[in-house]
Amino acid sequence: MSAPGAPKKSRRSHESIPDFKEDDVQPIDVFCVEPSDPSITKNELDYYLETFTVRAVWLSEEKALEVSSNDDAFYFVAVFRGRVFEHLKKIGVNIGGCLPRWDFPVYALNLTGACVCFTGLSLQKREELKVKTNYMNGVVSPSLTEKVTHLVTDYCDTEARRMGLPIMSPLWIDQAWEAAQAFSLENFVITATGVGGRERMDIARLIELNGGRFSGDMKRNECTHLIADKTRGVKFKKAREWNTIKIVRSSWLRKSVIAGYVLPERY
């Protein structure tokens, strides 16, 4: 009887660089707290975590309530309320939302941080501008309070001038909405190297919000861009070798979103 052949060595495709093989990112512990809300299933949370390439360990609410140390681990919860969320917030750990639930869909970030108030406009126009403001991640206040950042009106308001608020025409929101619709990362498949934790989640979220797709793995015939702030790592070297993936910095992504168009992809 002939001797059995030597075991075959596993071969990893050179066309795809797995995210978890990166040698320039410090690993972190990620825990996902099992939701007590019956309307939220683990399948939903698993899908969301997979979308953003997060590998998490499931944790029961009882175990989550036993967490007592503030370390570098991340704890993802389904909703930002309840005893588990309050406990984790109190001890100061890193908290992430696995299943963000907005009261309205967000299509762009053009009005992030803006709290607008309307006056002197018809109800129909107010509702139209409110929807656009919400779509651009802005907030609408029903009254003129200290939280308002902009007053939108067709005339000059004395109280707003006294408060030092910018007085904007309704056209300001209309033009911002037109710019938001013009900008899109559709057909962009973007991966990243050298970033982890909260920054990585922010980058993935920003890409997804603007119509693109974030990928943990870097596939040669699929990825269009690699975000790399440092000139090192397996992904960076392979992207240079393949010469088919555009290498950009994380600032390119943020500046493109703010500008409302894709900036030149220079490194």
Side-chain angles (χ1 to χ4, degrees):
M1 181 181 295
S2 59
K8 294 182 179 180
K9 295 182 179 180
S10 61
R11 298 178 61 187
R12 193 178 71 192
S13 171
H14 294 290
E15 304 298 303
S16 175
I17 305 300
D19 178 64
F20 56 87
K21 292 295 184 181
E22 283 292 342
D23 55 6
D24 54 354
V25 178
Q26 293 298 319
I28 59 172
D29 293 323
V30 179
F31 300 96
C32 189
V33 181
E34 294 181 356
S36 58
D37 186 343
S39 67
I40 304 173
T41 67
K42 288 181 66 174
N43 288 338
E44 288 179 292
L45 296 175
D46 277 330
Y47 175 78
Y48 186 81
L49 292 170
E50 182 181 351
T51 299
F52 289 104
T53 325
V54 175
R55 296 170 178 83
V57 175
W58 282 100
L59 200 66
S60 67
E61 288 196 339
E62 290 71 22
K63 289 293 184 181
L65 290 170
E66 295 176 4
V67 176
S68 59
S69 62
N70 181 3
D71 51 27
D72 292 332
F74 274 76
Y75 294 84
F76 288 87
V77 294
V79 291
F80 277 20
R81 63 174 182 270
R83 59 175 187 159
V84 172
F85 170 71
E86 293 298 333
H87 170 69
L88 295 176
K89 183 176 69 171
K90 183 178 180 180
I91 63 177
V93 299
N94 298 308
I95 304 176
C98 286
L99 199 62
R101 292 187 166 187
W102 291 300
D103 294 330
F104 46 82
V106 175
Y107 292 111
L109 302 179
N110 300 45
L111 295 185
T112 298
C115 178
V116 304
C117 181
F118 305 125
T119 186
L121 304 177
S122 67
L123 290 178
Q124 181 179 356
K125 187 61 177 178
R126 287 188 186 208
E127 185 59 31
E128 175 192 333
L129 295 178
K130 178 182 178 181
V131 171
K132 290 179 179 179
T133 300
N134 289 340
Y135 280 173
M136 293 184 285
N137 206 32
V139 177
V140 176
S141 173
S143 56
L144 194 60
T145 68
E146 66 277 0
K147 293 183 179 180
V148 173
T149 59
H150 299 78
L151 179 70
V152 178
T153 181
D154 278 327
Y155 64 89
C156 184
D157 185 272
T158 304
E159 181 63 17
R161 290 180 65 88
R162 185 188 66 79
M163 296 174 64
L165 288 176
I167 301 175
M168 313 301 292
S169 163
L171 188 61
W172 172 63
I173 294 179
D174 290 332
Q175 290 177 339
W177 177 239
E178 290 178 7
Q181 290 181 300
F183 176 72
S184 174
L185 293 176
E186 187 178 1
N187 299 323
F188 282 41
V189 180
I190 305 175
T191 187
T193 183
V195 293
R198 189 179 301 276
E199 183 182 4
R200 186 179 187 82
M201 293 297 294
D202 288 344
I203 288 174
R205 180 84 169 275
L206 198 55
I207 292 169
E208 298 283 339
L209 278 174
N210 287 278
R213 181 161 70 85
F214 179 79
S215 173
D217 296 348
M218 188 175 75
K219 297 181 180 179
R220 183 172 187 172
N221 297 321
E222 181 177 295
C223 278
T224 59
H225 295 74
L226 169 66
I227 292 178
D229 287 336
K230 298 178 181 178
T231 58
R232 67 185 188 193
V234 178
K235 284 184 179 178
F236 184 86
K237 293 176 182 177
K238 280 296 180 182
R240 280 286 178 87
E241 177 186 324
W242 292 342
N243 199 31
T244 57
I245 298 174
K246 296 177 180 178
I247 304 175
V248 294
R249 300 183 186 276
S250 58
S251 58
W252 166 83
L253 174 64
R254 297 184 178 91
K255 289 179 179 179
S256 292
V257 172
I258 294 173
Y261 59 91
V262 177
L263 295 173
E265 292 117 326
R266 303 191 187 99
Y267 191 78

